[in-house]
Amino acid sequence: MTIATSATRTTTKNNETLLFTALTATAAAATTYLLTRHYLQSKSKEEALTEAAAAYAEKSIAQTRRESLDNAEKKGKKGPSGTKLPNVQIDEVYLWEVEHLSVRFPSEGSHIINHMHGIDRDSTPLPENTPVFRKIHSSNSEEDMTNKSEHKVTSYNKLIGIHECILSDVVRTPSKEGVVQKSQAYVRAGPRRELHFNPRTVNAAIVTCGGLCPGLNNVIREITNTLYHLYDIKGKVYGIRGGYKGFYDERYPPVELTPELVENIHHDGGTVLSSSRGGFDLVKILDFIRSKKIRQLYVIGGDGTHRGAFAIHEGCMEAKMDVSVAGIPKTIDNDVDYIDRSFGFASAVEAAQGAIRSAKTEATCNLPNGIGIVKLMGRSAGFIAVHATLGSGDVDFCLVPEVPIVWEPTPPVTYPMV
């Protein structure tokens, strides 16, 4: 009985050992399976990434750029970002036009395509609604190679299209529904598609009038270089010396301007043509224009000079002279209408800072009540004074001609008699 019981316990213990061993083996097998599966999945992902990178590297640069452009176009179709304002818009635009000479005279260059240096007379004029200038490629025929200088074309990146303009009032305010919102606009500057003058027949003249300001020689230089290098004129560019009187005063004969002559004048101050005030004689000026066959006159000056330029234009139109009179605003006062800033103004404001600093030093060093007074150019415009004041930060009181000055003296103090 005792032996039988011990055998039974031994058999039970062996069965438990076998069961534990089986469970351990099963757990080990499951663990090995899971680890193997995870390893294979990781390897598959790594291989997939490697293959994708290789496939992307095989794409050409052109294809990648093409896809980028396609994506950009798709985004562009959705419209600009931001919130669309329903009550802020422009319904009507009114252009301040500059009368074109073709209204009064036939254009010599109506079928000449405008490009840099030279004229391609074999090219077809662009359609009226084409704002961007297309490239013109000359062929390699024997005739073209013989006349290479005539057919070499360097195109403008863009020519200004019809009715391209700059809005004068860029600040817009919301309006009530049904109210027509209007805006005025200026003619946009830049090279046009077709020319009015044939460059082969152009003689030009440049004159500087009035006071001096920085940048005059730069303007003279760039006009001369533009006429020769960009438009390839075959005539002459006359520099009128001494202002308007240089058109007729024998003491100041005109000088012929060339790219070689004006090459380094932008490093010098003043004007190489000299200047003066007054001396305007319309009849004698028109006689000079007629005798020299001037087609383009460039007048550099301030408000008074431009009144004279307008009188020359009116005289040319009345005499049926096909002459373009271009006014270039020059004034350190910055008092010419319709332009934000004239050249020379910034330099004048900068130069005024030195005078203001000196006046402050004098005032602070004189006790008990030192005062420094600086008088600047401006006559009837206080732009230099105001901008110099804002730029310095040291000025206590600024007087400008646009604001009337009313002095209100303090009544005298009276003391009772004792």
Side-chain angles (χ1 to χ4, degrees):
M1 188 67 178
T2 303
I3 296 174
T5 302
S6 299
T8 301
R9 290 178 178 174
T10 302
T11 303
T12 302
K13 186 175 182 180
N14 291 336
N15 290 336
E16 291 176 355
T17 302
L18 291 173
L19 179 60
F20 177 79
T21 303
L23 291 174
T24 303
T26 302
T31 302
T32 302
Y33 170 77
L34 293 175
L35 291 174
T36 304
R37 182 180 178 184
H38 179 72
Y39 171 77
L40 293 175
Q41 287 180 346
S42 300
K43 187 176 181 181
S44 299
K45 289 181 179 179
E46 183 177 355
E47 290 177 353
L49 291 174
T50 303
E51 292 175 359
Y56 181 80
E58 290 176 359
K59 287 185 177 181
S60 63
I61 297 177
Q63 183 178 356
T64 305
R65 288 179 177 174
R66 220 167 16 246
E67 291 178 356
S68 300
L69 291 175
D70 292 340
N71 293 333
E73 290 180 359
K74 291 179 181 178
K75 292 180 180 179
K77 293 180 181 178
K78 297 180 181 179
S81 60
T83 303
K84 181 180 179 181
L85 302 178
N87 55 349
V88 178
Q89 58 189 6
I90 299 177
D91 301 306
E92 298 178 359
V93 176
Y94 294 87
L95 182 66
W96 287 346
E97 294 179 303
V98 177
E99 184 183 41
H100 199 277
L101 288 176
S102 61
V103 176
R104 299 173 181 262
F105 307 96
S107 296
E108 299 175 356
S110 59
H111 298 292
I112 299 176
I113 299 299
N114 188 12
H115 56 74
M116 299 182 186
H117 189 69
I119 305 168
D120 187 2
R121 298 177 180 80
D122 297 330
S123 59
T124 304
L126 294 177
E128 292 295 328
N129 58 352
T130 303
V132 181
F133 189 63
R134 66 186 176 205
K135 297 290 183 181
I136 302 174
H137 302 283
S138 59
S139 61
N140 294 324
S141 63
E142 294 182 1
E143 181 181 358
D144 287 340
M145 295 300 292
T146 303
N147 302 306
K148 186 175 180 180
S149 61
E150 289 289 332
H151 291 270
K152 185 178 180 181
V153 175
T154 303
S155 304
Y156 289 99
N157 291 329
K158 176 179 174 60
L159 292 182
I160 304 303
I162 298 175
H163 291 166
E164 287 195 42
C165 57
I166 304 296
L167 296 179
S168 62
D169 45 354
V170 295
V171 178
R172 311 301 302 174
T173 56
S175 64
K176 297 181 180 179
E177 184 177 356
V179 177
V180 178
Q181 298 194 41
K182 303 177 182 180
S183 177
Q184 293 179 321
Y186 305 108
V187 174
R188 185 180 179 185
R192 261 47 185 180
R193 182 181 302 106
E194 294 182 346
L195 303 175
H196 177 70
F197 297 107
N198 187 335
R200 292 183 174 275
T201 64
V202 168
N203 289 313
I206 305 172
V207 61
T208 55
C209 303
L212 302 179
C213 80
L216 283 172
N217 284 335
N218 297 70
V219 176
I220 297 170
R221 179 178 185 267
E222 296 312 313
I223 293 175
T224 304
N225 286 333
T226 298
L227 289 172
Y228 280 111
H229 293 317
L230 297 189
Y231 291 96
D232 195 28
I233 67 168
K234 301 304 179 184
K236 297 180 179 180
V237 179
Y238 294 97
I240 308 302
R241 301 170 56 205
Y244 280 133
K245 65 178 63 175
F247 282 102
Y248 56 85
D249 196 328
E250 296 181 354
R251 296 175 298 173
Y252 311 113
V255 58
E256 182 179 347
L257 300 176
T258 63
E260 294 77 19
L261 184 63
V262 302
E263 181 177 2
N264 296 312
I265 64 173
H266 59 299
H267 297 302
D268 301 328
T271 165
V272 294
L273 299 178
S274 300
S275 183
S276 68
R277 290 178 170 85
F280 185 82
D281 190 319
L282 180 59
V283 176
K284 294 180 179 180
I285 293 174
L286 293 180
D287 288 340
F288 177 90
I289 294 175
R290 191 180 291 108
S291 63
K292 299 294 184 180
K293 298 181 180 179
I294 302 296
R295 310 301 299 278
Q296 299 177 9
L297 173 61
Y298 297 90
V299 181
I300 310 171
D303 51 354
T305 301
H306 276 73
R307 283 191 288 270
F310 181 71
I312 296 175
H313 164 73
E314 292 289 295
C316 289
M317 296 301 101
E318 184 177 351
K320 301 188 183 305
M321 298 166 59
D322 188 6
V323 177
S324 173
V325 181
I328 302 172
K330 177 273 311 175
T331 170
I332 64 172
D333 301 340
N334 200 40
D335 59 350
V336 177
D337 287 339
Y338 308 124
I339 62 171
D340 294 328
R341 183 176 300 175
S342 58
F343 68 91
F345 171 68
S347 300
V349 173
E350 182 180 358
Q353 300 302 311
I356 293 175
R357 286 192 293 268
S358 299
K360 180 183 179 181
T361 302
E362 289 285 343
T364 55
C365 292
N366 285 272
L367 299 178
N369 298 311
I371 298 176
I373 299 176
V374 177
K375 182 179 180 181
L376 299 174
M377 288 283 293
R379 193 169 57 183
S380 58
F383 291 105
I384 296 180
V386 169
H387 283 256
T389 297
L390 295 174
S392 70
D394 294 326
V395 180
D396 297 311
F397 193 56
C398 177
L399 303 178
V400 294
E402 292 89 344
V403 180
I405 302 172
V406 179
W407 297 104
E408 297 180 358
T410 304
V413 179
T414 57
Y415 297 95
M417 298 294 294
V418 177

